[in-house]
Amino acid sequence: MIVETNAPLQPHNTFGIVARARNMVRVRGAEDVHALLAHPELGAEPKFVLGGGSNIVLTGDVKAVVLKVEVAGRRVLEDGPKATIVEFGAGENWHEAVTWTMEQGLGGLENLALIPGTVGASPVQNIGAYGIELQDRFESLDAIDLVTGREFTLDATQCAFGYRDSVFKHSPARGSDFGLAGRALILRVRMRLPKPWKPVLGYIDLQRKMAETGVQAPTARQIYDWVCAIRSAKLPDPRVIGNAGSFFKNPTVTPEQCQDIIGREPNIVHYPMPDGSVKLAAGWLIDACGWKGKSVGQAGVYEKQALVLVNRGGATGGEVVTLARAIQTSVYERFGIRLEPEPVVV
Ligand code: EPU
C-alpha cells in the first residue's frame, strides 16, 4: 500500500475543481483496505471513498483518507438460459464497461452508455438514463466494511435502490443498521443481462431517432450509438467542460400539486409515475426561471441543458454551491418546489 500525501484531486473529479487530499491510497483489491486498516496512524482515521469523482463537489481539501478505487477486471461470469451475468471491478470506467459488453455481443446496458463515472459508483447512485436504471440490470455486488475489514455481498433488495438512491447514500441512523455511507467500499459489481434481449425504446429521444432513421427494430449496438449521439448533443463532455451530470434530481409532486402548477404554468413538462405521483423536469423548471447560460464566478448553467452545472474554468466548489443555492431559491419562489442536489458536497 502506497500513501500519497497532499495528493491533487483535480484529475479525480469530473467538475475539475482544484483540491487536495491530505492522504490518498489507491485500492486495487481488498488487501489494500486490509493494509490501510492495519496502519498505525491512518487505520482509525475517517475515510472517503472516491470512484470516478463524477458525483461530488469539492469545497476544499479533503482531510479524511481518500480511498481511490482502482479495482480492475471484466468477465462473463455465467452464461445461462435466462441471462448472462457479467462482473466488473469497481474501478472500471462505466462507459468502457458498457462498450465491452457491446463488443461481446451482449445487449442490456446500451441505454446507459456514456454515463460518466466508474462501475463501483453506479449502484451508489442507481444511475439511470433513457428508460433504464441500474437496478433493472443489477445482480449483486461485493463490498468491504471500512471499519472491520469484513467482505460481504449484497443483492438488489439489500441495496435498497430508489431514484438516484441506495443504501450507500444513507448514513447509519442511531439504533439502526440501515445505511452504509462512509462504511463500505464496493469492490466488484455483477450485472444480469436478460435473455432474450429486448430493446427499451419508450423514451421520447429514442422514438425520435427511430422516426428519423426509419429503423423500427434496432439492435443493441444501434441503440448504443443513438444514446451516445443524444447525450453528446445535449450534455457536456467532462473531459472538455467540467461537470457532474444532472445537478438536481427531478422532483415528484402529488397530482393535486401538479394541477395547481399547470393552472399557473400550462407548459410545465411532467410525467405521471406508476405510483400515482407526478415527476417534473427539473431542467425545465430551472430553464423557465431564466438560468440557462448564467454564472456565479466561473460556475455556470450549461447552455444546452439547464440541469447541468459546469466549470467554465477554475471554478471553486464554493461557487458551484452558491450557484446551486441561488437556483434552488428562484425555483422555490416561482414554483414552490424544493430541488434536491444529486452530487455529494464534500
Ligand atoms: N428541459 C428544458 N430545458 C432544459 C432542460 C430540459 O425544457 O434546459 C426539458 C426537456 O425539453 C425535456 C425535459 O425537460 O422535455 C427532460 O429533459 P431530458 O430529457 O434532457 O432529461 P432530464 O430529466 O433533464 C434525466 C436524467 C439524466 C438522464 C436523462 C435521460 C435526472 C436528474 N436526470 O434528465 O441523467 O440522462 O433523463 O434519461 O434524472 C444524470 O443523472 O446525471 C443524468 C444526466
Side-chain angles (χ1 to χ4, degrees), residues 111 130 200 203-210 226-227 230:
N111 295 49
Y130 307 105
V200 177
Y203 204 88
I204 182 83
D205 290 4
L206 292 173
Q207 292 285 324
R208 231 174 259 144
K209 283 281 178 201
M210 285 166 71
W226 286 346
V227 168
I230 296 164

Side-chain angles (χ1 to χ4, degrees), residues 39-277:
H39 191 280
E41 286 116 49
L42 301 180
E45 291 275 306
K47 300 177 185 69
F48 179 74
V49 179
L50 182 61
S54 61
N55 210 44
I56 54 167
V57 182
L58 295 170
T59 54
D61 291 345
V62 182
K63 291 178 192 72
V65 182
V66 171
L67 287 90
K68 176 79 181 63
V69 182
E70 295 187 349
V71 183
R74 23 172 113 159
R75 61 178 174 149
V76 173
L77 199 65
E78 198 183 303
D79 193 15
K82 292 203 173 137
T84 305
I85 312 291
V86 288
E87 182 184 77
F88 296 103
E92 294 284 337
N93 172 276
W94 172 263
H95 177 65
E96 285 168 20
V98 174
T99 306
W100 179 84
T101 60
M102 294 294 116
E103 288 161 3
Q104 310 307 303
L106 297 168
L109 299 179
E110 55 280 354
N111 295 49
L112 302 176
L114 225 52
I115 296 182
T118 54
V119 169
S122 65
V124 177
Q125 272 283 94
N126 185 21
I127 58 171
Y130 307 105
I132 295 190
E133 283 183 316
L134 183 94
Q135 65 177 9
D136 303 323
R137 299 287 179 266
F138 180 84
E139 170 72 6
S140 59
L141 62 79
D142 300 331
I144 183 163
D145 188 304
L146 291 175
V147 177
T148 63
R150 190 179 62 88
E151 288 179 52
F152 58 96
T153 298
L154 297 183
D155 63 20
T157 310
Q158 291 166 309
C159 286
F161 291 123
Y163 168 58
R164 296 295 190 277
D165 195 30
S166 75
V167 69
F168 298 99
K169 284 188 109 178
H170 294 260
S171 301
R174 201 172 294 173
S176 140
D177 271 350
F178 183 79
L180 288 172
R183 271 293 300 266
L185 180 146
I186 296 168
L187 293 166
R188 282 171 295 275
V189 181
R190 287 172 289 277
M191 246 77 71
R192 163 179 290 267
L193 310 177
K195 283 184 189 171
W197 171 78
K198 280 200 215 84
V200 177
L201 294 165
Y203 204 88
I204 182 83
D205 290 4
L206 292 173
Q207 292 285 324
R208 231 174 259 144
K209 283 281 178 201
M210 285 166 71
E212 265 168 41
T213 58
V215 177
Q216 289 304 308
T219 60
R221 184 74 206 203
Q222 177 78 73
I223 298 171
Y224 168 93
D225 289 339
W226 286 346
V227 168
C228 289
I230 296 164
R231 287 189 78 96
S232 307
K234 67 175 170 192
L235 296 170
D237 179 349
R239 287 168 304 185
V240 183
I241 307 171
N243 75 91
S246 301
F247 199 90
F248 299 99
K249 295 183 187 183
N250 283 328
T252 41
V253 294
T254 63
E256 295 73 33
Q257 281 173 305
C258 187
Q259 276 315 315
D260 178 50
I261 299 173
I262 288 173
R264 289 176 282 134
E265 312 275 348
N267 298 327
I268 195 161
V269 176
H270 60 286
Y271 317 93
M273 301 302 286
D275 66 0
S277 65

